[in-house]
Amino acid sequence: MEIKRIPTEDINSFIEIVSRSYPGMKVVSDDDIQKMTDRFIDIQENDTTKALYGAYQSGKLVGGMLFHDFEMMFYGQKVPVGGIGMVAVDLLHKKERVAKTMLEYFHQHYLERGVYMTALYPFRPDFYKKMGYGYGTKKDRYRVQPQHLPKGPSKSHIAYISLGQIGDLVTFYNKMAVQTHGLMIRSEKDFEKPMKQPGNYTIGYIDNGEIKGYAGFSFKSETRDSFLQNDILIHEFMYEDSEVLSEMLTFFHSQQDQIRSIYFDTQDEHFHHLLTDPSNGSGHLIPHAFHESNTQGVGLMYRVLDTEKFMDSVKGHHFNGVELALEIKVSDTFLPENDKRFYVHFEDGKMTIQKETKTDVAIELDIADFSSMLMGVLPFHALYTYGKAKISDPAYVAKVTQLFYTHQKPVCFNRF
């Protein structure tokens, strides 16, 4: 099997594979196919951060994928991350290890470029877990009646954001991104597609021409409903401070005369505390008397490709003032060269990679769980309790937990 960048003349073949692999995308009409063709040609010819790669057997395209070159915030530091999406295999070539071969190529592609972390949205979480990907932060979907949002004293700064203001929107987003663990740095192209999508709207808090918050949303309705009653689905929601948040929530609160419910998709685990009623209106109770408030989903998954090199690349991160000499053994069956142990010393939270020396304690865990822990998705003590991590001396569980502890789980808005 040969993996190579897909030439323009093979893009239609790739779209056929995608349409059959993901029928829910409904790429069926000539117009749908043309739009996707134009998009992929533009990516291959003009986009320096994305590229389509295909798997060929005997010269025939049997699968493909889309690579993304991201810059992600790892706490206060930008790190390169390789993203993969649109992984599709021809139905005639399922169970022939096409997807596995493409993932192997994907990993080597980024390792050769000095990129030591990758990320993806799984079509099946268990499939990618076996390939070393650890779960990221869950996303919550709240269904809120507008009157249960807090109403502030004003919404005077709220206005529509147009395509002509994308530059200002990107400036605001990236200002917030560098302060937010897990967010990817964005360009104008990242906002153009959703803003041009028919039925999508963007409002923002604008003060003297400066954007300080925004929300992207669309309307949601069902055919049996009156055309006068609709729901709002909020796709992205970002704000600078509590004043901006108040005005934006006041805007959505004011839609209650014709909006039945507002769906908030959020990775803010504390979101229910700002609602006057966090229940979703279903009336469902979880025994004994826990009111159903939201649904949750597992989405973005992370993977460290080379644990020692990635740790060395983020050595500027402060590990909570911990003093510890630690041996880390990572098990990695999918990337055997990453199945190894290494040694790190922490002095007042500052990390240095060491050659083999005397250590205080040793831990051992799978690369998927290590990746989740390093990103701050879950603490070490949880992995130890679940039997997912081993430690040479249980007296150090609390200290290792503190070492990797974070008050902010990773957040990601990018869809890929």
Side-chain angles (χ1 to χ4, degrees):
M1 190 180 298
E2 179 189 11
I3 309 289
K4 65 179 183 179
R5 190 180 174 102
I6 297 178
T8 303
E9 59 266 25
D10 287 346
I11 282 179
N12 282 339
S13 297
F14 177 61
I15 291 174
E16 289 177 5
I17 292 173
V18 169
S19 65
R20 289 192 288 262
S21 298
Y22 300 104
M25 293 178 66
K26 302 188 187 310
V27 184
V28 290
S29 71
D30 290 342
D31 185 53
D32 293 334
I33 293 170
Q34 189 59 53
K35 285 179 180 177
M36 184 169 279
T37 301
D38 292 342
R39 177 191 165 208
F40 286 159
I41 290 176
D42 181 57
I43 286 173
Q44 292 298 77
E45 294 182 349
N46 304 311
D47 198 325
T48 59
T49 64
K50 301 183 185 72
L52 287 166
Y53 286 82
Y56 290 80
Q57 285 185 352
S58 302
K60 179 187 176 183
L61 184 68
V62 297
M65 51 194 168
L66 179 60
F67 291 1
H68 300 257
D69 299 340
F70 291 123
E71 270 191 310
M72 183 191 77
M73 296 307 301
F74 183 82
Y75 301 101
Q77 178 179 342
K78 290 179 185 177
V79 297
V81 172
I84 186 173
M86 206 66 74
V87 179
V89 176
D90 193 310
L91 300 183
L92 295 175
H93 295 273
K94 293 279 190 176
K95 301 299 181 182
E96 295 179 10
R97 302 169 70 86
V98 177
K100 179 177 182 292
T101 303
M102 290 197 299
L103 261 292
E104 289 172 339
Y105 180 91
F106 166 63
H107 292 156
Q108 291 304 319
H109 173 90
Y110 281 101
L111 277 171
E112 289 170 5
R113 287 158 177 77
V115 178
Y116 305 120
M117 178 175 282
T118 53
L120 55 79
Y121 286 97
F123 68 88
R124 252 184 49 201
D126 64 320
F127 177 81
Y128 287 107
K129 190 73 155 61
K130 291 176 183 176
M131 295 186 179
Y133 283 83
Y135 305 127
T137 305
K138 283 185 174 183
K139 177 176 280 189
D140 299 315
R141 171 166 286 188
Y142 287 87
R143 180 183 178 185
V144 182
Q145 293 181 337
Q147 61 268 30
H148 294 149
L149 293 169
K151 180 183 178 182
S154 171
K155 55 183 175 68
S156 62
H157 293 89
I158 304 300
Y160 292 109
I161 296 178
S162 68
L163 283 168
Q165 296 168 287
I166 281 186
D168 295 331
L169 188 57
V170 171
T171 297
F172 166 72
Y173 170 88
N174 285 334
K175 181 181 75 171
M176 298 300 295
V178 297
Q179 305 171 38
T180 308
H181 175 48
L183 280 182
M184 311 287 191
I185 301 301
R186 282 180 168 179
S187 67
E188 292 187 10
K189 281 190 174 182
D190 295 310
F191 284 96
E192 281 178 2
K193 185 183 176 184
M195 289 184 73
K196 287 180 178 179
Q197 183 74 24
N200 281 1
Y201 302 90
T202 307
I203 58 101
Y205 181 107
I206 303 176
D207 184 18
N208 292 323
E210 181 183 357
I211 295 174
K212 295 187 175 183
Y214 75 91
F217 67 94
S218 58
F219 291 99
K220 179 178 181 292
S221 62
E222 297 184 17
T223 55
R224 68 174 181 268
D225 293 343
S226 163
F227 75 95
L228 295 175
Q229 286 291 326
N230 294 278
D231 298 331
I232 284 177
L233 176 58
I234 298 178
H235 309 290
E236 286 192 16
F237 193 82
M238 180 178 277
Y239 52 91
E240 186 172 281
D241 54 36
S242 58
E243 179 182 337
V244 176
L245 172 63
S246 175
E247 288 210 14
M248 294 176 71
L249 292 177
T250 301
F251 165 81
F252 287 112
H253 179 280
S254 68
Q255 309 307 315
Q256 60 183 284
D257 58 338
Q258 285 186 288
I259 296 300
R260 178 180 50 190
S261 300
I262 300 178
Y263 290 82
F264 283 85
D265 288 347
T266 178
Q267 293 166 76
D268 179 359
E269 62 183 326
H270 308 298
F271 180 80
H272 59 289
H273 289 281
L274 67 79
L275 306 173
T276 58
D277 183 355
S279 63
N280 61 11
S282 67
H284 295 160
L285 290 178
I286 300 171
H288 158 66
F290 287 77
H291 297 261
E292 186 177 277
S293 60
N294 60 280
T295 55
Q296 282 189 326
V298 173
L300 193 64
M301 300 178 76
Y302 302 96
R303 191 196 207 286
V304 178
L305 300 178
D306 188 312
T307 49
E308 185 173 355
K309 287 182 179 178
F310 183 81
M311 291 288 283
D312 189 55
S313 73
V314 297
K315 59 188 175 185
H317 173 59
H318 189 268
F319 288 83
N320 300 314
V322 172
E323 300 273 348
L324 188 67
L326 179 66
E327 176 185 330
I328 302 174
K329 170 63 174 71
V330 171
S331 301
D332 193 337
T333 57
F334 197 76
L335 270 174
E337 61 267 37
N338 192 41
D339 191 296
K340 58 187 177 183
R341 65 185 71 244
F342 62 103
Y343 306 86
V344 284
H345 283 191
F346 300 89
E347 294 183 16
D348 192 27
K350 184 178 180 181
M351 180 189 68
T352 54
I353 305 290
Q354 300 285 330
K355 293 186 177 180
E356 186 172 354
T357 57
K358 179 177 173 58
T359 56
D360 300 316
V361 67
I363 61 173
E364 183 175 345
L365 65 171
D366 182 77
I367 185 59
D369 297 319
F370 177 83
S371 300
S372 294
M373 179 186 71
L374 186 63
M375 285 298 296
V377 178
L378 82 169
F380 176 79
H381 73 78
L383 291 171
Y384 177 70
T385 300
Y386 299 155
K388 294 280 194 176
K390 297 177 182 178
I391 191 166
S392 59
D393 185 350
Y396 280 88
V397 168
K399 200 162 193 177
V400 175
T401 298
Q402 182 187 355
L403 183 69
F404 294 103
Y405 173 78
T406 174
H407 72 281
Q408 183 184 51
K409 292 182 180 180
V411 176
C412 184
F413 287 177
N414 287 52
R415 303 179 182 191
F416 57 94

